PDB file of all heavy atoms in Angstrom:
ATOM      1  N   GLY A 134     -26.169  38.464  11.122  1.00  0.00           N
ATOM      2  CA  GLY A 134     -26.626  39.029   9.866  1.00  0.00           C
ATOM      3  C   GLY A 134     -25.758  40.225   9.430  1.00  0.00           C
ATOM      4  O   GLY A 134     -25.408  40.335   8.248  1.00  0.00           O
ATOM      5  N   GLY A 135     -25.429  41.100  10.372  1.00  0.00           N
ATOM      6  CA  GLY A 135     -24.575  42.254  10.035  1.00  0.00           C
ATOM      7  C   GLY A 135     -23.215  41.831   9.554  1.00  0.00           C
ATOM      8  O   GLY A 135     -22.700  42.389   8.578  1.00  0.00           O
ATOM      9  N   ALA A 136     -22.613  40.824  10.234  1.00  0.00           N
ATOM     10  CA  ALA A 136     -21.293  40.348   9.827  1.00  0.00           C
ATOM     11  C   ALA A 136     -21.358  39.710   8.433  1.00  0.00           C
ATOM     12  O   ALA A 136     -20.450  39.895   7.598  1.00  0.00           O
ATOM     13  CB  ALA A 136     -20.765  39.326  10.851  1.00  0.00           C
ATOM     14  N   LEU A 137     -22.434  38.961   8.188  1.00  0.00           N
ATOM     15  CA  LEU A 137     -22.587  38.314   6.895  1.00  0.00           C
ATOM     16  C   LEU A 137     -22.756  39.348   5.779  1.00  0.00           C
ATOM     17  O   LEU A 137     -22.103  39.245   4.705  1.00  0.00           O
ATOM     18  CB  LEU A 137     -23.798  37.361   6.935  1.00  0.00           C
ATOM     19  CG  LEU A 137     -23.972  36.440   5.729  1.00  0.00           C
ATOM     20  CD1 LEU A 137     -22.782  35.542   5.541  1.00  0.00           C
ATOM     21  CD2 LEU A 137     -25.243  35.586   5.901  1.00  0.00           C
ATOM     22  N   VAL A 138     -23.611  40.339   6.007  1.00  0.00           N
ATOM     23  CA  VAL A 138     -23.832  41.386   4.981  1.00  0.00           C
ATOM     24  C   VAL A 138     -22.534  42.166   4.745  1.00  0.00           C
ATOM     25  O   VAL A 138     -22.177  42.461   3.591  1.00  0.00           O
ATOM     26  CB  VAL A 138     -24.975  42.310   5.436  1.00  0.00           C
ATOM     27  CG1 VAL A 138     -25.052  43.538   4.518  1.00  0.00           C
ATOM     28  CG2 VAL A 138     -26.299  41.556   5.435  1.00  0.00           C
ATOM     29  N   GLY A 139     -21.836  42.520   5.835  1.00  0.00           N
ATOM     30  CA  GLY A 139     -20.574  43.245   5.682  1.00  0.00           C
ATOM     31  C   GLY A 139     -19.550  42.467   4.892  1.00  0.00           C
ATOM     32  O   GLY A 139     -18.855  43.015   4.016  1.00  0.00           O
ATOM     33  N   GLY A 140     -19.400  41.168   5.203  1.00  0.00           N
ATOM     34  CA  GLY A 140     -18.442  40.338   4.473  1.00  0.00           C
ATOM     35  C   GLY A 140     -18.794  40.182   3.017  1.00  0.00           C
ATOM     36  O   GLY A 140     -17.939  40.276   2.137  1.00  0.00           O
ATOM     37  N   MET A 141     -20.104  39.944   2.757  1.00  0.00           N
ATOM     38  CA  MET A 141     -20.531  39.766   1.351  1.00  0.00           C
ATOM     39  C   MET A 141     -20.364  41.058   0.560  1.00  0.00           C
ATOM     40  O   MET A 141     -19.926  41.043  -0.620  1.00  0.00           O
ATOM     41  CB  MET A 141     -22.001  39.328   1.321  1.00  0.00           C
ATOM     42  CG  MET A 141     -22.254  37.937   1.852  1.00  0.00           C
ATOM     43  SD  MET A 141     -21.436  36.695   0.833  1.00  0.00           S
ATOM     44  CE  MET A 141     -21.853  35.200   1.759  1.00  0.00           C
ATOM     45  N   ALA A 142     -20.745  42.193   1.152  1.00  0.00           N
ATOM     46  CA  ALA A 142     -20.600  43.473   0.452  1.00  0.00           C
ATOM     47  C   ALA A 142     -19.146  43.745   0.122  1.00  0.00           C
ATOM     48  O   ALA A 142     -18.810  44.225  -0.970  1.00  0.00           O
ATOM     49  CB  ALA A 142     -21.178  44.596   1.314  1.00  0.00           C
ATOM     50  N   THR A 143     -18.252  43.431   1.074  1.00  0.00           N
ATOM     51  CA  THR A 143     -16.821  43.608   0.820  1.00  0.00           C
ATOM     52  C   THR A 143     -16.326  42.714  -0.307  1.00  0.00           C
ATOM     53  O   THR A 143     -15.545  43.150  -1.159  1.00  0.00           O
ATOM     54  CB  THR A 143     -16.025  43.327   2.103  1.00  0.00           C
ATOM     55  OG1 THR A 143     -16.528  44.141   3.164  1.00  0.00           O
ATOM     56  CG2 THR A 143     -14.559  43.616   1.894  1.00  0.00           C
ATOM     57  N   ALA A 144     -16.818  41.465  -0.309  1.00  0.00           N
ATOM     58  CA  ALA A 144     -16.415  40.541  -1.383  1.00  0.00           C
ATOM     59  C   ALA A 144     -16.846  41.056  -2.748  1.00  0.00           C
ATOM     60  O   ALA A 144     -16.092  40.985  -3.719  1.00  0.00           O
ATOM     61  CB  ALA A 144     -17.014  39.160  -1.112  1.00  0.00           C
ATOM     62  N   VAL A 145     -18.080  41.597  -2.824  1.00  0.00           N
ATOM     63  CA  VAL A 145     -18.566  42.138  -4.102  1.00  0.00           C
ATOM     64  C   VAL A 145     -17.712  43.314  -4.548  1.00  0.00           C
ATOM     65  O   VAL A 145     -17.311  43.407  -5.727  1.00  0.00           O
ATOM     66  CB  VAL A 145     -20.062  42.544  -3.960  1.00  0.00           C
ATOM     67  CG1 VAL A 145     -20.517  43.314  -5.203  1.00  0.00           C
ATOM     68  CG2 VAL A 145     -20.922  41.322  -3.734  1.00  0.00           C
ATOM     69  N   VAL A 146     -17.431  44.244  -3.605  1.00  0.00           N
ATOM     70  CA  VAL A 146     -16.621  45.412  -3.952  1.00  0.00           C
ATOM     71  C   VAL A 146     -15.227  45.021  -4.426  1.00  0.00           C
ATOM     72  O   VAL A 146     -14.725  45.499  -5.465  1.00  0.00           O
ATOM     73  CB  VAL A 146     -16.534  46.378  -2.751  1.00  0.00           C
ATOM     74  CG1 VAL A 146     -15.506  47.488  -3.000  1.00  0.00           C
ATOM     75  CG2 VAL A 146     -17.892  46.980  -2.441  1.00  0.00           C
ATOM     76  N   VAL A 147     -14.597  44.101  -3.674  1.00  0.00           N
ATOM     77  CA  VAL A 147     -13.241  43.679  -4.044  1.00  0.00           C
ATOM     78  C   VAL A 147     -13.250  42.972  -5.401  1.00  0.00           C
ATOM     79  O   VAL A 147     -12.378  43.221  -6.257  1.00  0.00           O
ATOM     80  CB  VAL A 147     -12.665  42.738  -2.942  1.00  0.00           C
ATOM     81  CG1 VAL A 147     -11.357  42.093  -3.433  1.00  0.00           C
ATOM     82  CG2 VAL A 147     -12.428  43.508  -1.669  1.00  0.00           C
TER      83      VAL A 147
END
Side-chain angles (χ1 to χ4, degrees):
L137 189 59
V138 170
M141 292 296 178
T143 305
V145 171
V146 170
V147 171

